[in-house]
């Protein structure tokens, strides 16, 4: 089973100090950021430092994985790719993606860069940030209509959407996402599952709120999300914990698999006074595969 990163930690691409500490954060994937965390006048320096960080870490056996968040397609993405692709990032995060065709467009650029730099065709993964504009939030269905073999995950963003809507806040009085953002998040989850890729939840903005982050991430995991974006190293451990199967869920999954193995050829079996069927078996196998992958990675 391919390991989908649980924790995706943003690192400003123009901060030599933060880049130097990034490998020790425990994140499954680092997102070397050339977009929002880099001021316009420092874009060139960000590209230089990000390229140097990639060059110092050969792709073979690279851990954590190194993704680069480029700027939007019409806001400097091509210049970003020209700077970083010779160093073979594991993947590209594309912000402000409008629909699947933007990923087709990015994929063609990656085809050309891989060919030019002797990289394996199709080896550079893509994760787009969706729902950052009203148009994008309404066009998530396009991901079920186009083959996008490079795309391994979809994630979403609330801050840019708030600005696009002219909203004064994206939260309800009780602190939860306001309705329109809950709709966008739910549609992102559905689109990712329909497209057969991993849904990744968005940021928990208050990096000091470990309890809130853990609770929200555990809830997201029960809904079907497989990981979460992070903006501070302190968020990595709670995210990794929330998106790894618990000891209890692993033990239960083993009992489900054992129950079916003890009754070959049947579609339902009894366990603890309840009837379980094939969907339960598929879920149990998924839990065990994820557990084994995480354990193997260490």
């Amino acid at each position: 089973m391919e390991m989908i990163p649980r924790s995706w930690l943003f690192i400003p691409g123009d901060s030599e100090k933060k880049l130097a500490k990034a490998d020790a954060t425990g994140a499954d994937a680092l997102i070397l950021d050339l977009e929002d965390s880099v001021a316009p006048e420092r874009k060139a320096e960000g590209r230089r430092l990000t390229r140097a960080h990639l060059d110092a870490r050969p792709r073979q056996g690279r851990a954590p994985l190194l993704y680069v968040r480029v700027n939007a397609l019409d806001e400097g993405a091509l210049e970003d790719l020209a700077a970083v692709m010779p160093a073979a990032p594991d993947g590209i995060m594309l912000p402000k993606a409008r629909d699947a065709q933007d990923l087709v467009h990015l994929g063609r650029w990656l085809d050309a860069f891989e060919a030019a730099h002797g990289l394996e065709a199709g080896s550079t993964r893509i994760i787009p940030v969706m729902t950052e504009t009203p148009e994008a939030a309404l066009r998530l269905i396009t991901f079920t209509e186009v083959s996008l073999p490079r795309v391994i995950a979809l994630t979403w963003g609330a801050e840019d959407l708030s600005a696009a809507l002219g909203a004064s806040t994206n939260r309800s009085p009780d602190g939860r996402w306001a309705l329109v953002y809950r709709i966008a998040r739910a549609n992102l989850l559905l689109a990712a599952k329909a497209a057969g890729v991993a849904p990744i939840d968005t940021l928990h903005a208050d990096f000091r709120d470990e309890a809130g982050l853990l609770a929200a991430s555990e809830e997201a995991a029960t809904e079907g999300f497989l990981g979460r974006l992070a903006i501070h190293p302190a968020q990595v451990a709670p995210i990794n914990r929330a998106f790894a199967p618990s000891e209890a869920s692993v033990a239960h999954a083993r009992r489900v698999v054992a129950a079916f193995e003890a009754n070959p050829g049947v579609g339902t079996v009894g366990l603890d006074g309840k009837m379980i069927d094939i969907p339960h078996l598929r879920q149990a196998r998924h839990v065990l595969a994820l557990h084994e992958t995480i354990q193997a990675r260490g």
Side-chain angles (χ1 to χ4, degrees):
M1 153 175 211
E2 180 178 1
M3 176 66 176
I4 299 296
R6 296 162 294 170
S7 49
W8 301 73
L9 176 63
F10 284 102
I11 304 292
D14 67 336
S15 175
E16 195 165 8
K17 179 179 179 181
K18 291 179 180 178
L19 286 167
K21 297 179 178 179
D23 290 348
T25 62
D28 289 341
L30 301 175
I31 305 169
L32 311 181
D33 189 22
L34 296 176
E35 196 214 10
D36 284 348
S37 66
V38 180
E41 63 270 19
R42 288 188 56 81
K43 296 292 186 185
E45 179 69 355
R47 292 174 185 132
R48 184 186 72 81
L49 290 173
T50 296
R51 168 68 179 273
H53 190 83
L54 288 163
D55 278 335
R57 291 152 182 81
R59 182 186 258 189
Q60 188 67 32
R62 187 184 279 165
L65 298 177
L66 298 179
Y67 277 62
V68 176
R69 179 164 71 169
V70 297
N71 288 273
L73 288 179
D74 57 354
E75 296 177 1
L78 191 56
E79 292 87 344
D80 295 337
L81 292 171
V84 303
M85 282 301 294
D90 293 293
I92 299 296
M93 174 175 277
L94 181 69
K96 299 180 178 66
R98 294 165 295 187
D99 57 23
Q101 286 304 316
D102 276 359
L103 282 304
V104 172
H105 189 78
L106 175 59
R108 289 172 181 154
W109 282 354
L110 294 178
D111 289 343
F113 280 115
E114 287 172 346
H117 299 292
L119 305 177
E120 181 184 350
S123 60
T124 310
R125 302 296 200 171
I126 296 174
I127 173 172
V129 185
M130 301 303 303
T131 79
E132 292 188 300
T133 67
E135 176 189 10
L138 292 171
R139 292 182 60 77
L140 284 163
I141 190 65
T142 63
F143 284 92
T144 68
E145 301 170 346
V146 179
S147 175
L148 297 166
R150 291 181 182 272
V151 176
I152 63 163
L154 303 180
T155 190
W156 71 288
E159 303 308 320
D160 284 285
L161 182 57
S162 298
L165 294 174
S168 59
T169 180
N170 50 34
R171 295 284 182 173
S172 298
D174 63 1
R176 297 178 68 84
W177 293 115
L179 178 60
V180 69
Y181 307 96
R182 295 203 304 272
I183 291 172
R185 179 177 180 272
N187 285 340
L188 183 284
L189 174 61
L190 291 169
K193 293 294 185 178
V197 301
I200 303 299
D201 209 354
T202 195
L203 300 166
H204 188 80
D206 186 353
F207 66 85
R208 297 162 298 186
D209 179 23
E210 180 176 337
L213 168 64
L214 181 60
S217 299
E218 288 176 340
E219 180 179 0
T222 65
E223 294 173 306
F225 284 92
L226 298 183
R228 186 170 207 138
L229 305 181
I231 55 171
H232 192 278
Q235 295 183 315
V236 169
I239 290 173
N240 283 346
R241 174 182 165 189
F243 290 99
S246 66
E247 291 183 8
S249 64
V250 171
H252 178 71
R254 286 175 175 151
R255 293 183 65 224
V256 170
V257 172
F260 277 94
E261 288 178 346
N263 295 275
V266 302
T268 60
V269 296
L271 185 66
D272 298 333
K274 298 178 181 178
M275 296 305 296
I276 57 175
D277 53 19
I278 298 302
H280 294 97
L281 176 60
R282 286 198 293 265
Q283 176 62 16
R285 286 173 173 163
H286 170 77
V287 167
L288 294 179
L290 179 58
H291 173 71
E292 290 167 5
T293 303
I294 292 172
Q295 292 296 109
R297 183 163 183 172

